[in-house]
Amino acid sequence: MNLEGLEMIAVLIVIVLFVKILEQFGLIEAGLEDSVEDELEMATVRHRPEALELLEAQSKFTKKELQILYRGFKNECPSGVVNEDTFKEIYSQFFPQGDSTTYAHFLFNAFDTDHNGAVSFEDFIKGLSILLRGTVQEKLNWAFNLYDINKDGYITKEEMLDIMKAIYDMMGKCTYPVLKEDAPRQHVETFFQKMDKNKDGVVTIDEFIESCQKDENIMRSMQLFENVI
């Protein structure tokens, strides 16, 4: 896998892995389709109707889909929240040959929007709605937020290097041909040559979105994950 391939993974890996999480929850197999069994199981799901209606308005999921997602969420997370250790455990299952700890940490922080150390069902749904049903612009906004580690509105070379090292640690050693140890730093330089339009040493959200939208590989890959569920 060359640097271009790693760049595409850097933008899309969140979506791919969330599909894996849905499989883990058994939600893709369920397909969110109508069935008598689903209706019976939904009758046992407890929720606050006001909160459910609010989530329906704030997301791209129907009320029934939210009920089924909640059932799966509660089955996997009886406490009602996901902590960082759970995130790390999930990702380690998909990359047993690598170290996904750091990437899972960055991803957890992107979902933990109120920074309280836990991802609630509401946090989960809002992120999932963007990743699976959002527009290209919404998905790229979410990806930018992931890479903007300190949330100052810019991606620096140091932040992108941290992300690239995390991705490399998670899956780089499993690629063929094996990437060189300096591949993450080379990627950062390539990234900034393409995206830092005014050469000021940082990438803004406008620069990030414009560059991604001009990349046919990224756009084509994003389309593959539209309406997964």
Side-chain angles (χ1 to χ4, degrees):
M1 182 178 294
N2 57 23
L3 290 177
E4 289 296 317
L6 192 60
E7 178 174 331
M8 186 169 65
I9 287 174
V11 176
L12 299 173
I13 198 168
V14 177
I15 303 173
V16 176
L17 293 181
F18 247 87
V19 172
K20 294 294 185 181
I21 292 176
L22 288 177
E23 291 175 349
Q24 177 94 351
F25 284 178
L27 296 175
I28 286 184
E29 292 180 3
L32 300 181
E33 297 175 352
D34 293 337
S35 72
V36 174
E37 182 180 358
D38 282 343
E39 294 293 344
L40 290 174
E41 290 190 53
M42 280 190 294
T44 67
V45 175
R46 297 181 179 179
H47 58 80
R48 298 190 307 270
E50 296 81 9
L52 192 63
E53 291 173 1
L54 181 61
L55 272 180
E56 184 179 4
Q58 293 176 341
S59 73
K60 300 180 186 294
F61 297 117
T62 66
K63 183 176 181 180
K64 178 176 180 180
E65 287 173 337
L66 288 169
Q67 288 174 314
I68 298 175
L69 285 166
Y70 182 72
R71 182 191 64 202
F73 187 88
K74 288 291 287 184
N75 284 342
E76 292 296 321
C77 312
S79 66
V81 296
V82 180
N83 59 31
E84 186 170 335
D85 288 340
T86 302
F87 251 66
K88 292 177 179 178
E89 181 180 348
I90 290 172
Y91 277 77
S92 68
Q93 294 176 29
F94 300 123
F95 297 93
Q97 304 303 317
D99 182 359
S100 60
T101 302
T102 303
Y103 189 82
H105 167 73
F106 291 142
L107 184 59
F108 180 83
N109 285 342
F111 273 90
D112 182 17
T113 54
D114 53 6
H115 308 296
N116 65 352
V119 173
S120 66
F121 179 65
E122 288 78 7
D123 294 331
F124 176 76
I125 287 299
K126 290 174 184 177
L128 193 63
S129 177
I130 292 173
L131 293 174
L132 294 183
R133 300 261 175 97
T135 64
V136 168
Q137 177 103 6
E138 289 170 334
K139 290 173 183 176
L140 292 177
N141 272 320
W142 199 96
F144 182 90
N145 180 64
L146 171 66
Y147 304 145
D148 178 17
I149 296 174
N150 67 0
K151 313 306 179 193
D152 66 351
Y154 303 95
I155 300 175
T156 65
K157 286 188 176 183
E158 291 75 16
E159 287 174 322
M160 181 52 65
L161 183 59
D162 287 343
I163 294 289
M164 288 299 102
K165 284 181 176 178
I167 292 174
Y168 181 74
D169 288 343
M170 182 168 61
M171 64 179 302
K173 296 179 177 62
C174 300
T175 62
Y176 181 83
V178 175
L179 294 173
K180 296 179 181 179
E181 290 298 326
D182 63 346
R185 190 171 296 277
Q186 290 178 18
H187 173 79
V188 170
E189 293 302 323
T190 301
F191 176 94
F192 269 78
Q193 287 175 13
K194 291 176 62 176
M195 296 196 173
D196 183 12
K197 302 297 185 182
N198 62 0
K199 308 302 178 186
D200 63 352
V202 297
V203 173
T204 66
I205 190 166
D206 290 336
E207 290 173 326
F208 179 82
I209 290 176
E210 180 183 353
S211 296
C212 288
Q213 288 180 331
K214 290 180 179 179
D215 191 309
E216 293 182 1
N217 289 328
I218 291 176
M219 292 299 99
R220 184 164 51 249
S221 298
M222 280 193 167
Q223 290 174 359
L224 294 176
F225 295 98
E226 290 182 354
N227 297 320
V228 173
I229 61 174

